[in-house]
Amino acid sequence: RARRIFCRFPRMAVNILVAQVEPELPGGYRIGDRVVSRVGFRIGDMTVDSGDVGTVEGFAFQDRARRIFCRFPRMAVNILVAQVEPELPGGYRIGDRVVSRVGFRIGDMTVDSGDVGTVEGFAFQDRARRIFC
């Protein structure tokens, strides 16, 4: 059985092991990403509450262009990517307002201690510990 596929990347085309690639999921999510539900719903005895944290497990079984399959504590579900957001370091969510505890300067741009900002997503570097405001 074949273990390689031929893929074209921006700077190279290559025969690559299937274990060395993963599918691109809607919304830019990757298998294993942790997400926070923006909505709550119930199917029988199973529920997802707004704010529940789940894990992306792959493509949805239906509407694969707009949904991903996620496992939450009390339910696994095909969910619209618009109904989840990434879990950010520190438990922050996109749109949260934050107050800087430090001041710093980059060129002629500054943030002063006490400045208020808005969380916009993952940082460009050190994604495990930083957020982008």
Side-chain angles (χ1 to χ4, degrees):
R1 206 170 124 181
R3 298 183 317 162
R4 292 182 180 265
I5 55 178
F6 182 74
C7 297
R8 183 170 306 282
F9 293 97
R11 292 174 303 282
M12 181 179 184
V14 63
N15 290 313
I16 193 165
L17 291 169
V18 294
Q20 295 174 317
V21 293
E22 63 183 44
E24 182 179 61
L25 299 173
Y29 288 103
R30 296 173 67 178
I31 294 170
D33 282 352
R34 291 174 54 85
V35 294
V36 179
S37 178
R38 293 179 167 177
V39 297
F41 52 91
R42 171 185 301 275
I43 299 175
D45 292 340
M46 300 179 297
T47 61
V48 172
D49 294 326
S50 180
D52 279 358
V53 176
T55 303
V56 175
E57 295 200 347
F59 283 102
F61 302 116
Q62 59 191 20
D63 196 9
R64 292 169 58 113
R66 300 183 319 135
R67 295 177 183 264
I68 52 178
F69 183 69
C70 297
R71 185 168 305 281
F72 291 94
R74 295 174 304 282
M75 181 180 190
V77 63
N78 293 314
I79 193 165
L80 291 167
V81 294
Q83 294 175 325
V84 294
E85 62 187 52
E87 180 187 47
L88 299 173
Y92 289 102
R93 295 179 66 177
I94 294 170
D96 283 353
R97 298 200 23 100
V98 294
V99 178
S100 180
R101 298 191 313 186
V102 297
F104 54 92
R105 173 183 295 274
I106 300 173
D108 60 350
M109 300 180 297
T110 63
V111 172
D112 293 328
S113 180
D115 280 357
V116 177
T118 304
V119 175
E120 294 190 358
F122 283 103
F124 301 116
Q125 298 172 336
D126 196 7
R127 288 175 54 117
R129 297 185 321 147
R130 295 178 185 242
I131 55 177
F132 180 71
C133 296

